[in-house]
Amino acid sequence: MSIRIIGGELKGRKLVTVAGKETRPTSNRVRESIFNILGNCVQDACVLDLYAGTGAMGIEALSRGAKWAFFAEGQRAALAALAKNIKSCSLENRTNTIKCNILDNLKILQSHRAAFDLVFIDPPYNQDLIQPTLAHLARSQCLANGARLAVEHSPREPIPENRPEFEVADRRRYGKTLVSFLIYMV
């Protein structure tokens, strides 16, 4: 699958992908739709890209005016592709990347003292990762009040309704992908 940056200063830049089926990059069409929905929320945002894979979501946000992006990924092959993409886009001074198991916890984010305005969550489908990810994210206390979250997931794995700090603002379906847009309210 070939992926490119769709908008902003890096528009047209091709990104390295990961061989195999372990990493599933967001298609160009779905990514463009997500960013059209987010609109001005991207400008000057501090971005958190969880299950970052190739980093396409965070890099797209930086291309569209986000000021900084933090990438969290657990797979080595994805981290290698992500590092190449950051370097090829000359974004080293606007990014930070960590290898971590997001399901262990996200306390590592507290040490960066950033209040994230925009979060992308794209875990492997149908592995019940959304609930624990949202729980860890809420406990990490790293989100700005009113932060926007775009969660890509299977329609068979809905957003849990027992997380009152996350309000579902919108949902869109793109083939086998459901994207839920949440707002963090404390």
Side-chain angles (χ1 to χ4, degrees):
M1 173 189 236
S2 175
I3 58 174
R4 295 185 182 275
I5 298 301
I6 297 161
E9 65 185 44
L10 298 170
K11 182 177 180 177
R13 186 75 53 102
K14 189 174 179 181
L15 299 178
V16 172
T17 59
V18 180
K21 295 183 180 185
E22 200 164 309
T23 300
R24 174 195 36 77
T26 302
S27 73
N28 292 340
R29 181 177 139 284
V30 172
R31 193 163 12 97
E32 182 173 21
S33 296
I34 289 170
F35 279 93
N36 286 341
I37 291 165
L38 291 172
N40 292 334
C41 295
V42 179
Q43 194 66 38
D44 294 321
C46 286
V47 175
L48 175 59
D49 192 347
L50 297 176
Y51 305 95
T54 63
M57 296 302 290
I59 293 171
E60 185 78 41
L62 291 168
S63 178
R64 292 172 182 248
K67 61 182 167 186
W68 186 73
F70 192 100
F71 299 92
E73 173 58 55
Q75 303 297 322
R76 286 179 198 228
L79 283 166
L82 173 58
K84 288 178 185 175
N85 290 331
I86 289 170
K87 185 172 183 166
S88 74
C89 293
S90 301
L91 294 171
E92 298 93 338
N93 64 340
R94 295 173 58 199
T95 61
N96 195 344
T97 303
I98 59 164
K99 180 183 188 303
C100 74
N101 180 343
I102 293 162
L103 293 182
D104 284 344
N105 67 55
L106 292 171
K107 288 183 181 178
I108 190 165
L109 298 176
Q110 291 172 337
S111 66
H112 292 278
R113 302 198 196 289
F116 296 104
D117 309 296
L118 183 57
V119 181
F120 298 106
I121 303 172
D122 187 9
Y125 285 6
N126 300 314
Q127 294 185 21
D128 295 320
L129 299 175
I130 296 170
Q131 167 68 20
T133 299
L134 289 175
H136 288 316
L137 198 53
R139 278 194 300 270
S140 73
Q141 299 179 348
C142 68
L143 300 178
N145 191 31
R148 309 282 184 194
L149 292 80
V151 183
E152 292 179 60
H153 56 102
S154 164
R156 288 182 254 143
E157 188 176 17
I159 297 296
E161 299 200 12
N162 63 343
R163 305 275 356 148
E165 62 273 74
F166 296 105
E167 175 186 319
V168 177
D170 196 356
R171 281 195 178 101
R172 303 288 174 102
R173 186 170 182 152
Y174 306 95
K176 295 178 182 178
T177 298
L178 186 62
V179 181
S180 296
F181 296 88
L182 312 177
I183 300 173
Y184 177 71
M185 306 300 276
V186 288

